[in-house]
Amino acid sequence: MKKKIAPGNIEYQVAAEGEYVCRKAGANSFAFSCIVGSGERAKAVVPTALNKEMKAGELVMIGISPRTNGYAGVIGDTLPVSGSYTKRQKECVNYLREAFRLTRAMLKPGVKGREIDVPARNSFIKHDLIKYLVCPFAHTIGLMEAEGPFYGPNSDDVLAPGMTVCVDVSFFGHPEFHGARIETGYEITETGCRPLCPEMDELFSKDAE
């Protein structure tokens, strides 16, 4: 998908590339229609790919959820259409990655949803993003990409070994960045969590370059 992100390309071309790769690897369906939302279209929580041309200087939010043998996986990211982030775009993405890492550190057996929510929420407050927060920072994944429980500020649901959970950090409606999301999944273990996609875990473990 990343290789198809460039000025002049169309959102549905990015989706087509992602869907082709997933099908070729064995996916037999998708848990949601492929997300590709560039520029102001990223204000929507789930902006599925349309015939919009991507433009230089924009950010584009992508997400794909291939399903195999009935179970869903997912990745989500926010990338620069021009190939490299501007200074402000890099700040935006790094705010997301900071909140992501704080949430990931809370993925341990016995931790409640309201506890998981606190560190990233404080980060969003610090960076003046809290007014654009729409979705909780963590939810389970299984037969569907997003299914209950959702580990938000009012959740007393408790993590247990064997659960599969997504760290899904996003905001929507920002006057400058419009909307952005990063997401990948983890299995809860006896002592913490294990990434379902080590490549995405490694990517989000450091600041954007």
Side-chain angles (χ1 to χ4, degrees):
M1 293 173 76
K2 185 176 180 179
K3 292 178 180 179
K4 287 293 183 180
I5 296 173
N9 282 358
I10 310 300
E11 289 179 353
Y12 62 68
Q13 293 176 304
V14 178
E17 187 69 16
E19 290 170 359
Y20 169 74
V21 170
C22 290
R23 290 281 192 186
K24 190 176 180 181
N28 46 43
S29 64
F30 295 87
F32 58 69
S33 296
C34 190
I35 293 171
V36 186
S38 57
E40 290 194 17
R41 290 200 64 245
K43 286 181 179 179
V45 177
V46 186
T48 55
L50 295 180
N51 59 347
K52 178 187 176 295
E53 180 181 310
M54 295 177 289
K55 298 179 181 178
E58 291 181 331
L59 286 172
V60 57
M61 182 170 65
I62 63 170
I64 193 165
S65 182
R67 185 184 277 126
T68 302
N69 297 325
Y71 290 96
V74 69
I75 62 163
D77 204 355
T78 299
L79 299 166
V81 173
S82 297
S84 58
Y85 296 109
T86 66
K87 180 180 179 181
R88 283 288 290 154
Q89 289 172 345
K90 189 182 296 185
E91 289 175 3
C92 166
V93 170
N94 286 338
Y95 294 157
L96 291 177
R97 293 188 184 188
E98 177 183 307
F100 184 98
R101 294 189 290 265
L102 290 167
T103 303
R104 182 185 60 188
M106 299 299 292
L107 299 184
K108 302 173 184 177
V111 179
K112 294 182 179 180
R114 64 177 68 243
E115 297 172 317
I116 295 170
D117 183 79
V118 170
R121 185 171 291 267
N122 287 338
S123 175
F124 265 42
I125 291 171
K126 178 178 68 174
H127 297 304
D128 198 28
L129 293 173
I130 195 66
K131 67 187 79 172
Y132 310 109
L133 179 61
V134 175
C135 306
F137 299 111
H139 58 76
T140 57
I141 183 171
L143 300 179
M144 294 300 297
E145 182 274 332
E147 56 186 26
F150 292 84
Y151 298 102
N154 301 312
S155 168
D156 287 316
D157 294 294
V158 179
L159 295 178
M163 284 184 165
T164 46
V165 176
C166 280
V167 178
D168 182 359
V169 178
S170 61
F171 63 81
F172 302 97
H174 193 278
E176 180 181 359
F177 302 121
H178 308 303
R181 167 186 274 123
I182 60 175
E183 180 178 11
T184 192
Y186 296 86
E187 177 190 0
I188 305 302
T189 67
E190 296 290 341
T191 58
C193 65
R194 178 184 69 84
L196 298 179
C197 181
E199 295 86 353
M200 298 302 289
D201 177 72
E202 181 181 0
L203 176 66
F204 299 148
S205 292
K206 58 191 178 210
D207 283 350
E209 298 178 354

